[in-house]
Amino acid sequence: MDTNSTPSSIIVRSYQPSDLPACQAIFTEAHLGYNSPMVHINFILQADMADIEKNYLQIPGGHWWVAVSTEDNRIVGQVAVLPMRLGDSSYYSEAPEEERDQICELIRMGIKQDVQRQGVGKKLLSTLINFARENGYRQIHLTTLTNMHKANAFYQRNGFIKGPIVKKPLVDIPENVDDKTKFISNIPSSAIFEVGAIIPDEDQRLMKVPISESKCAYIQHYSLSI
């Protein structure tokens, strides 16, 4: 991600339907950079990212932004937000009832490799935080894979606090499942490592490698009070 000041040639604006190919390409590039299986990338592209307008912009309390280079009108980054009940339904169900509707989910953040560490991610994050505050959210939650080292470093630099790590096995998604997103979120975890827990050496090793090698998704939770 990034730490330096944002170039003046970068602006952040709301998603437009014509942005879809560029947004899908950013997501694909980011995950291929960590050797994520193409089948899992395609799953996301065919799920919520198949219709960003419907699944984000038309959702109360949801939105999607892109970072655009004004020099060549190229989309170089993106980030989205959803209410927790839609962004992470399992985390929503476990959160205290009086708090969970005040939590939003940061999702689908990605920055083109050639503009990383130039402030693009920080400007996107700032835009999302302002939106979250204006919409009554008091906390931002997100998850990322433990092997996504740049993403983990970015969130920690920007004040996000580490939560538990959830280990889930990779599974094949049946073609006849109507709601594939719900199917994925309901896959039972094989282990949950709470903050400060002693993590076995083998799990520590697997957390650092691509999920195609580990055959498990090690999901790192983060939160930020706003």
Side-chain angles (χ1 to χ4, degrees):
M1 296 293 179
D2 51 78
T3 53
N4 302 329
S5 59
T6 312
S8 59
S9 59
I10 298 294
I11 62 168
V12 173
R13 62 163 171 80
S14 296
Y15 171 87
Q16 300 170 0
S18 59
D19 299 334
L20 182 60
C23 290
Q24 292 185 332
I26 287 174
F27 177 82
T28 301
E29 176 188 290
H31 284 262
L32 285 179
Y34 289 104
N35 295 316
S36 296
M38 199 64 210
V39 63
H40 292 277
I41 295 172
N42 284 334
F43 163 73
I44 298 300
L45 298 180
Q46 295 164 11
D48 60 280
M49 286 193 70
D51 192 338
I52 290 173
E53 199 166 17
K54 173 186 176 183
N55 295 320
Y56 290 89
L57 298 190
Q58 295 177 12
I59 299 295
H63 208 74
W64 188 294
W65 299 268
V66 294
V68 183
S69 169
T70 58
E71 294 178 352
D72 54 10
N73 204 36
R74 182 172 62 112
I75 294 175
V76 296
Q78 63 190 17
V79 71
V81 65
L82 282 173
M84 177 56 56
R85 61 183 175 80
L86 298 176
D88 191 329
S89 58
S90 60
Y91 185 85
Y92 177 85
S93 65
E94 295 169 3
E97 188 172 353
E98 68 276 10
E99 298 177 9
R100 58 192 184 190
D101 289 320
Q102 298 176 341
I103 306 173
C104 62
E105 180 81 1
L106 184 157
I107 191 170
R108 308 291 177 245
M109 190 169 201
I111 311 296
K112 294 282 291 182
Q113 290 187 10
D114 64 324
V115 298
Q116 290 181 3
R117 301 191 69 80
Q118 295 181 28
V120 180
K122 195 171 184 69
K123 188 165 187 178
L124 283 165
L125 178 59
S126 177
T127 301
L128 186 148
I129 290 173
N130 288 337
F131 175 91
R133 287 174 175 154
E134 291 168 1
N135 282 268
Y137 294 119
R138 300 182 65 180
Q139 186 181 108
I140 298 170
H141 172 263
L142 68 89
T143 58
T144 190
L145 297 177
T146 55
N147 70 298
M148 294 185 168
H149 312 300
K150 292 180 182 179
N152 281 275
F154 171 79
Y155 294 126
Q156 291 176 53
R157 282 199 306 271
N158 284 279
F160 281 83
I161 305 301
K162 275 187 174 185
I165 297 172
V166 178
K167 176 183 178 181
K168 288 193 174 187
L170 293 189
V171 298
D172 294 326
I173 306 165
E175 288 296 328
N176 60 350
V177 173
D178 291 331
D179 190 340
K180 295 185 178 182
T181 303
K182 187 175 182 180
F183 174 83
I184 287 291
S185 65
N186 287 332
I187 295 172
S189 59
S190 59
I192 298 176
F193 303 108
E194 299 292 345
V195 177
I198 297 175
I199 301 175
D201 290 345
E202 180 62 5
D203 283 299
Q204 291 190 46
R205 183 187 73 82
L206 292 175
M207 285 178 182
K208 300 174 183 177
V209 302
I211 59 175
S212 56
E213 179 181 337
S214 66
K215 305 303 180 185
C216 288
Y218 288 90
I219 303 166
Q220 175 69 67
H221 287 255
Y222 285 99
S223 63
L224 177 70
S225 296
I226 57 174

